[in-house]
Amino acid sequence: MATENEKVLVGVIGGSGLYHLDNLTFVKTVNPDTPWGYPSSPITICSLPSGSLIAFLARHGPHHTFSPSTVPSRANIAALKSIGVRAILAFSAVGSLREEIAPGHFAIPTQIIDRTKGIRPASFFEGTTIVAHTAFGDPFSVKLVKWLEGRVEKVLQEEGRGVVLHKEKCIICMEGPQFSTRAESIMYRSWGGDLINMSVLPEAKLAREAELSYALVATATDYDSWRPHSEVVTAAEVFKTLQSNADTARHVAATILEELCAATLQGDLLSEEKGSMQFSIMPRSAAQKEEDAQKLAFVLPEYFNSTA
Ligand SMILES: CSC[C@H]1O[C@H](OP(=O)(O)O)[C@H](O)[C@@H]1O
Ligand SMILES: Nc1ncnc2[nH]cnc12
């Protein structure tokens, strides 16, 4: 029986350039076989100085072999939940759609515009006989975002490299793998987009379905392609800031994870998501297949009793 300290309540998802964390003691790796397959990388369990455990998962795999469209997000989220994770701190390399968000700056978005093309499985209920409609008006955990804003800003200020944190921003999630055209980039700005990436969806949707608190720390690598007299975004441009952003992200994680584990253990950050699916799942009918309920029990044991 795991003690409170041994529970892995916090998961970190690393994006492009962020394939490991620093200043943690390696405990073990686990690779849960979920009804949606294996996660993109084995999950590394590490301990913090207090003994609290965290789980780290590389979104694109340890050797970056999954493109944004092929990341097995259902397996990733289900695997994290299955080992006890309740709150996810995700990192992502993003393009900036605003002059004031310079490459090297960080942002914690509060809204998302979905420009993926429907080719990524985006629901645990997809392909089953069970229907659910999940609230997603606030796509990130409001409490976790608020909790992070002050802390991440403080770490960045103390670090002294002038990394600015932007708050209350809207992120466009595009399909990729190609970057946007100039016309698309300009259109996204007119829609109110501030940031752009290829990875926050369906990750955030699935975290919500799994009743996990989820927030994103977006690390700006480029200005995308909207600036009239500038070059368009290229991978080479992104790579210029990817490494230093990842170093800063590791520093942020190393500084706040201890307190994040404690807050998660106390349940302070989880109250919005916990129980949120109760009225999202359409009432049981005889037409719902038992095998589907068993599959969903892996990620939502609260509502589906597994008889497997
Ligand atoms: C390497 S540029 C495009 C790529 O970078 C971002 O990945 P992640 O969100 O995992 O950091 C972006 O979403 C694209 O997937
Ligand atoms: N400009 C951009 N568009 C989409 N995803 C990105 N990730 C980093 N920069 C990006």
Side-chain angles (χ1 to χ4, degrees), residues 103-120:
H105 287 189
F106 281 23
I108 301 181
T110 47
Q111 279 299 325
I112 307 178
I113 294 177
D114 188 354
R115 280 279 298 167
T116 62
K117 300 283 169 72
I119 61 173
R120 308 175 183 191

Side-chain angles (χ1 to χ4, degrees), residues 92-96 172 174 178-180 196-198 219 221-225 233 238:
S92 170
V94 307
S96 166
I172 307 276
M174 59 173 295
Q178 298 83 0
F179 292 112
S180 307
I196 183 161
N197 85 347
M198 304 175 191
T219 65
T221 49
D222 56 271
Y223 271 121
D224 205 46
S225 298
V233 60
V238 169

Side-chain angles (χ1 to χ4, degrees), residues 54-236:
I54 66 107
F56 178 81
L57 173 58
R59 181 184 290 121
H60 301 278
H63 307 290
H64 208 121
T65 46
F66 292 96
S67 74
S69 306
T70 62
V71 169
S73 294
R74 289 193 294 190
N76 288 353
I77 298 296
L80 287 170
K81 175 123 190 227
S82 76
I83 61 168
V85 165
R86 293 294 174 268
I88 295 181
L89 175 61
F91 288 89
S92 170
V94 307
S96 166
L97 298 170
R98 301 288 158 191
E99 193 64 47
E100 64 275 17
I101 308 177
H105 287 189
F106 281 23
I108 301 181
T110 47
Q111 279 299 325
I112 307 178
I113 294 177
D114 188 354
R115 280 279 298 167
T116 62
K117 300 283 169 72
I119 61 173
R120 308 175 183 191
S123 170
F124 290 109
F125 297 84
E126 208 173 300
T128 75
T129 51
I130 301 170
V131 175
H133 299 285
T134 310
F136 202 55
D138 289 311
F140 300 100
S141 162
V142 174
K143 282 191 181 168
L144 181 54
V145 164
K146 280 277 156 271
W147 189 95
L148 285 169
E149 282 176 348
R151 282 153 182 97
V152 173
E153 190 161 48
K154 186 161 173 274
V155 180
L156 294 177
Q157 278 166 1
E158 285 170 358
E159 201 202 14
R161 280 200 284 162
V163 177
V164 176
L165 181 72
H166 299 268
K167 301 169 196 162
E168 312 244 329
K169 298 298 167 200
C170 174
I171 186 162
I172 307 276
C173 186
M174 59 173 295
E175 188 60 53
Q178 298 83 0
F179 292 112
S180 307
T181 64
R182 285 188 193 269
E184 287 165 339
S185 194
I186 291 165
M187 178 181 72
Y188 296 147
R189 278 165 52 82
S190 78
W191 287 359
D194 302 302
L195 311 161
I196 183 161
N197 85 347
M198 304 175 191
S199 313
V200 70
L201 295 177
E203 203 169 85
K205 289 183 177 175
L206 295 163
R208 180 59 54 82
E209 281 192 349
E211 294 192 342
L212 302 180
S213 297
Y214 176 94
L216 188 79
V217 175
T219 65
T221 49
D222 56 271
Y223 271 121
D224 205 46
S225 298
W226 55 271
R227 287 165 116 210
H229 304 296
S230 293
E231 295 297 306
V232 298
V233 60
T234 60

